[in-house]
Amino acid sequence: MLKSLVTISCLSLTLALCGQVTFLLEQTPANTPPSDTLFLAGSMNNWDAGNKDYQFRRDGAGRYFLTLHNTAPEAFEYKITRGIWATVETDSIGGFIENRRYVSGKNGDTIRLKIPTWDDLPINPKFGWLRIRVDRLPKNTPPDASIYAVGGFNS
């Protein structure tokens, strides 16, 4: 009887680990609002930026994690959001990033991620946002002209 119980327990644990994937956010931007909730949005949930089934939780060390148990397809694309697309992750200078891609392993996976910045927050919280205001344009500027700011801050 004891052997059967041990065998069933081992089988259950094996089944639980198979097909599961854990996303661990090892680094989030320092200016991530502590009250915000993070989500996994991707092709596996119709790119729903705030789907509660894909909400990250925090571990004892304060890191965000999310484990999908046998519910994720073998491959999918995804991004991390703070609940809406205006708060999606961006690269280290606030630019668009390509979708991340997950391809399933055999024994369950742990995907370790770093989020450089958020689309709606200043890149460097120490300095904040810079606002450029144009007070005047040359008189010969066409009314439909595009105006660009260029410099070292955007290469």
Side-chain angles (χ1 to χ4, degrees), residues 40-51 54 73 76-78 85:
L40 183 76
S43 57
M44 75 297 181
N45 67 0
N46 294 316
W47 295 98
D48 184 347
N51 186 323
Y54 294 86
F76 58 88
E77 293 185 340
Y78 66 95
W85 284 108

Side-chain angles (χ1 to χ4, degrees), residues 6-124:
V6 169
T7 303
I8 290 171
S9 296
C10 288
L11 181 60
S12 296
L13 181 60
T14 302
L15 288 174
L17 291 175
C18 247
Q20 97 176 12
V21 58
T22 297
F23 294 87
L24 177 62
L25 303 184
E26 293 186 320
Q27 178 184 328
T28 54
N31 61 344
T32 302
S35 61
D36 280 4
T37 304
L38 305 186
F39 297 89
L40 183 76
S43 57
M44 75 297 181
N45 67 0
N46 294 316
W47 295 98
D48 184 347
N51 186 323
K52 300 277 187 216
D53 293 334
Y54 294 86
Q55 179 177 330
F56 283 83
R57 291 185 302 276
R58 291 188 139 192
D59 65 14
R63 295 177 302 182
Y64 292 92
F65 74 96
L66 169 65
T67 300
L68 304 178
H69 299 279
N70 300 319
T71 57
E74 288 189 18
F76 58 88
E77 293 185 340
Y78 66 95
K79 288 189 175 182
I80 311 301
T81 76
R82 293 189 351 264
I84 58 174
W85 284 108
T87 62
V88 69
E89 62 177 314
T90 57
D91 68 15
S92 61
I93 58 169
F96 174 82
I97 60 170
E98 296 294 325
N99 297 337
R100 296 176 186 265
R101 183 158 175 76
Y102 169 75
V103 179
S104 176
K106 297 287 182 202
N107 299 320
D109 292 317
T110 298
I111 308 301
R112 298 173 186 284
L113 303 170
K114 294 180 181 180
I115 309 298
T117 61
W118 300 111
D119 193 34
D120 65 319
L121 296 178
I123 295 166
N124 186 336

